């Protein structure tokens, strides 16, 4: 027996011995016992409603995303069945529009990114050497917001029909005059809830990845999958903030009757395109980057080689992430934007393909230099690379202004888009097979995996490649020339093959979960990132001690692995240590160090994230019955009002419960935290959130400037009544500036251990903020009831674009002030009881938010009251 066989036998023996333990994440037989701090076992349903552990949340994300894959896939097959021959054969025109729109929205938002972030939730903390994400309850909250947002979207089908204006929701088709059904409004509200989930998740991941890497793991040492997630999340933080602004403005147009996107003279349709595509094109890379990172990990593992040109690979990803925000106008070549700007964006579009060329060549050269093992994960990863190359090449055509005039709105775009996006899905399916043994503790059936790949790859290309040939077919239309019927029928056959391939996958993974061979710690010979050092599945706390890379490879400080086995050596990046072949018999060092981990266990259970998600679901569902200033009539209206009331109460109850819950999170030290060594997790999380808020307000202010320039900068004053004077805004400026000063006084008092100083400072801040809102309310009421020749019915939200931009932008700011006052009131009650004297940091973090709100007003005051 070889040394390698002995190691494998020991791993199998250890796995068999602890089989019941493994099924419960390392805690409790058969999942029936409680884990640390009251977390139920995995075999109990309760666990999945209260868990905050990153591995559980990762599984929830993955399973839920696969459900939405099936949901969107069924809609896709309905569309392809309709296109077997031209005409309305199965679906009516309205139903077909619903299917097209819902398929696009489900796949882009509720499947692609969440599927990738199922792996990110599970794997990234393990790869970084962290015991969990920085804010476990926020991680659970992000999942429940995601799930309930999908539930809202599902409900929209039963409200007279879901949104029918395409997944890009172009104006003016997104307005009530074209999509009047409540289901369309529910779709928009579901998008807002989804973006809230993304924002919470982004703050959590960025804080974790910048603050909680293991000792000795520099930013450039992160495994490629984690590096891809880091760049993805930074893009998400800013891109989704722009989408949130677009959705909030659209919601206001639909619910309150504002006129942003209905203002044709002020370029309302063009404004939507700018807002949507500023998000939309980074979203392509947000979707593909995790697939690219997983692809790189799989290539390293199954070729036995570190990625060729690793530092250039990472630099290329960074360059693409930055460039992704300066190419959005290539989606707008058919608009009235002048040719010089179109030419500039054509250059940036072609330029962004160059870093991708480098990454593709790095992956190809890695396979040439390595020794390929054709396992299922590699087949899918390599297949994903092949189809992405086709998608990238065909995309270059669309990057040229002249060719885009010919191809825009045709099936060439459909084919290109799917070769890129579903190319990413192909690699992510490989990632599912790759990490399935680690997540489940079982090995899948390799033969079925390869059958799945064969059927999938044939079905994929049979579905999408004929679309290039049938490019003259118009998008989102079921009529096409009879000469193209052969191509469409081939595509329909391919669609059913592609869909059927997932039945093989589901059968394989489900059967393997119950009857598969137990998975060793590391089932892949050359996988060396940290997740493969711990058991399959990993224990609740991930590691037996504090992980460290200070010696150049992974070691655990102070504690030994269960059973005394030291495990497999691991380098941060994957591939092999020191350029050689990883030897599974080499011991991992366990040295005592002066930075011994301070964490002695953290809480893992909280029901409040679920409660908050449930409350948000009911509140937004109730709000969907509010149309252009009033609720729909009759019993339906009463039902919507009731849902809104119940949802608001449950949401408030959940938020209060979350703040009052004694929850022990992770404490430091965490290891490498450059460049944020001296910034505590919560403070960094607040700074990151405010960065997203900067983009949100920037989008609102940018929309105001865009509309005003389109309307005519000087003509704008004719849209404003003389009663709109600067004095109320000036008074509010003084109120907010003074309130910033009183927050500082409260912080100083907390530092000096003066209870009543803290109470006085927070109380003064609260009163000044209330004064701001009262003054704002009086000003609005006065303007609402202005009666002049030019404005006989007052100056309301729907009077003109000037009133819409004024009320909505200052209203968003007022909502921030109101949230700040609720926080202030909560802190004031606690301060009276003596809180914040031993730890003034909550006052400091609240001050960051309050100062930001005040700074925003310093921009709004001159824009809306002086200029």
């Amino acid at each position: 027996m070889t040394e390698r066989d002995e190691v494998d036998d020991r791993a199998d023996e250890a796995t068999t011995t602890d089989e019941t333990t493994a099924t419960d994440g390392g805690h409790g037989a058969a999942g029936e016992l409680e884990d640390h701090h009251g977390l139920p076992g995995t075999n109990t349903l309760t666990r999945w409603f209260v868990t905050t552990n990153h591995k559980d949340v990762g599984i929830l994300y993955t399973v839920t995303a696969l459900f939405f894959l099936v949901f969107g896939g069924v809609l896709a097959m309905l569309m392809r069945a309709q296109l077997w021959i031209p005409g309305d054969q199965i679906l009516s025109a309205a139903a077909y529009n619903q299917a097209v729109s819902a398929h696009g929205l489900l796949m882009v938002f509720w499947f692609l990114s969440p599927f990738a972030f199922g792996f990110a939730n599970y794997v990234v903390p393990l790869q970084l050497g962290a015991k969990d994400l920085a804010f476990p309850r926020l991680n659970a909250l992000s999942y429940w917001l995601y799930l309930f947002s999908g539930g809202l979207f599902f409900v929209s089908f039963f409200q007279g029909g879901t949104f029918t204006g395409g997944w890009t929701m172009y104006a003016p088709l997104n307005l009530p005059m074209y999509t009047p059904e409540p289901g369309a409004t529910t779709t928009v509200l579901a998008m807002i809830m989804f973006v809230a989930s993304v924002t919470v998740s982004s703050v959590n991941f960025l804080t974790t990845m910048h603050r909680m890497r293991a000792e000795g793991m520099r930013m450039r040492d992160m495994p490629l999958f984690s590096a891809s997630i880091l760049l993805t999340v930074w893009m998400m933080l800013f891109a989704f903030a722009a989408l949130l602004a677009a959705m909030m403005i659209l919601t206001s147009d639909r619910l309150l009757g504002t006129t942003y996107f209905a203002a044709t003279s002020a370029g309302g349709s063009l404004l939507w395109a700018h807002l949507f595509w500023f998000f939309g094109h980074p979203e392509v890379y947000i979707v593909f980057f995790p697939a690219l990172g997983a692809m790189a990990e799989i290539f390293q593992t199954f070729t036995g080689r570190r990625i060729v040109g690793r530092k250039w690979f990472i630099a290329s990803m960074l360059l693409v992430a930055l460039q992704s925000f300066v190419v959005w106008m290539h989606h707008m070549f058919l608009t009235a934007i002048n040719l010089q700007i179109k030419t500039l964006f054509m250059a940036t579009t072609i330029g962004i393909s160059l870093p991708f060329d480098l990454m593709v060549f790095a992956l190809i050269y890695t396979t040439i230099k390595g020794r390929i093992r054709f396992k299922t994960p590699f087949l899918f990863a390599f297949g994903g690379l092949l189809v992405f190359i086709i998608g990238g090449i065909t995309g270059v055509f669309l990057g040229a202004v002249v060719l885009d005039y010919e191809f825009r709105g045709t099936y060439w775009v459909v084919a290109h888009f799917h070769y890129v996006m579903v190319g990413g899905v192909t690699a992510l399916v490989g990632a599912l097979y790759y990490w399935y043994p680690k997540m489940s503790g079982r090995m899948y059936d390799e033969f079925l995996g390869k059958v799945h790949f064969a059927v999938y790859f044939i079905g994929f290309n049979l579905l999408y490649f004929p679309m290039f040939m049938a490019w003259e077919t118009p998008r989102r239309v079921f009529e096409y020339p009879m000469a193209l019927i052969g191509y469409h029928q081939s595509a329909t056959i391919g669609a059913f093959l592609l869909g059927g391939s997932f039945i093989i996958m589901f059968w394989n993974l489900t059967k393997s979960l119950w009857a598969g061979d137990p998975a060793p710690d590391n089932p892949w010979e050359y996988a060396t990132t940290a997740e493969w050092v711990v058991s399959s599945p990993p224990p609740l706390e991930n590691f037996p001690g504090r992980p460290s890379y200070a010696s150049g490879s992974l070691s655990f400080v102070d504690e030994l692995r269960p059973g005394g086995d030291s495990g497999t050596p691991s380098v941060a990046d994957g591939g092999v240590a020191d350029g050689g072949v990883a030897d599974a018999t080499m011991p991992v060092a366990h040295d005592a160090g002066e930075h011994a981990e301070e964490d002695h266990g953290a809480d893992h259970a909280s029901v409040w994230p679920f409660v908050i998600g449930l409350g948000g679901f009911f509140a937004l569902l109730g709000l969907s019955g509010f149309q252009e200033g009033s609720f729909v009539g009759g019993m339906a209206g009463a039902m919507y009002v009731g849902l809104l009331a119940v949802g608001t109460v449950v949401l408030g109850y959940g938020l209060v419960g979350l703040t009052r819950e004694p929850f022990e999170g992770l404490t430091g030290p965490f290891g490498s935290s450059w460049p944020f060594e001296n910034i505590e997790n919560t403070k960094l999380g607040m700074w990151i959130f405010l960065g997203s808020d900067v983009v949100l307000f920037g989008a609102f202010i940018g929309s105001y400037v865009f509309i005003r320039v389109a309307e005519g900068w000087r003509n704008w004053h004719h849209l404003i009544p003389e009663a709109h004077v600067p004095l109320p805004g000036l008074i509010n400026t003084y109120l907010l500036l003074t309130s910033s000063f009183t927050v500082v006084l409260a912080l100083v008092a907390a530092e000096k251990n003066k209870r009543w100083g803290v109470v006085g400072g927070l109380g003064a801040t609260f009163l000044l903020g209330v004064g701001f809102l009262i003054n704002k309310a009086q000003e609005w009421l006065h303007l609402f009831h202005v009666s002049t020749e030019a404005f006989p019915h007052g100056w309301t939200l729907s009077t003109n674009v000037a009133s819409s931009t004024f009320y909505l932008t200052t209203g968003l700011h007022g909502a921030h002030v109101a949230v700040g006052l609720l926080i202030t009131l909560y802190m004031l009650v606690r301060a009276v009881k003596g809180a914040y004297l031993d730890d003034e940091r909550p006052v400091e973090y609240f001050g960051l938010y309050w100062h930001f709100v005040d700074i925003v007003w310093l921009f709004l005051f001159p824009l809306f009251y002086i200029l």
Side-chain angles (χ1 to χ4, degrees), residues 88 190 242 317 385 413 473 490 661 717 854:
D88 53 344
M317 285 198 295
L385 177 63
V413 178
T473 306
S490 298
E661 180 181 45
H717 296 287
D854 294 352

Side-chain angles (χ1 to χ4, degrees), residues 167-182:
W167 79 273
T168 53
M169 295 184 170
Y170 280 139
L173 295 179
N174 54 17
L175 297 176
M177 67 181 74
Y178 297 106
T179 50
E181 56 278 351

Side-chain angles (χ1 to χ4, degrees), residues 85-86 480-486:
I85 58 175
Y480 57 85
M482 286 298 295
L484 304 177
I485 193 170

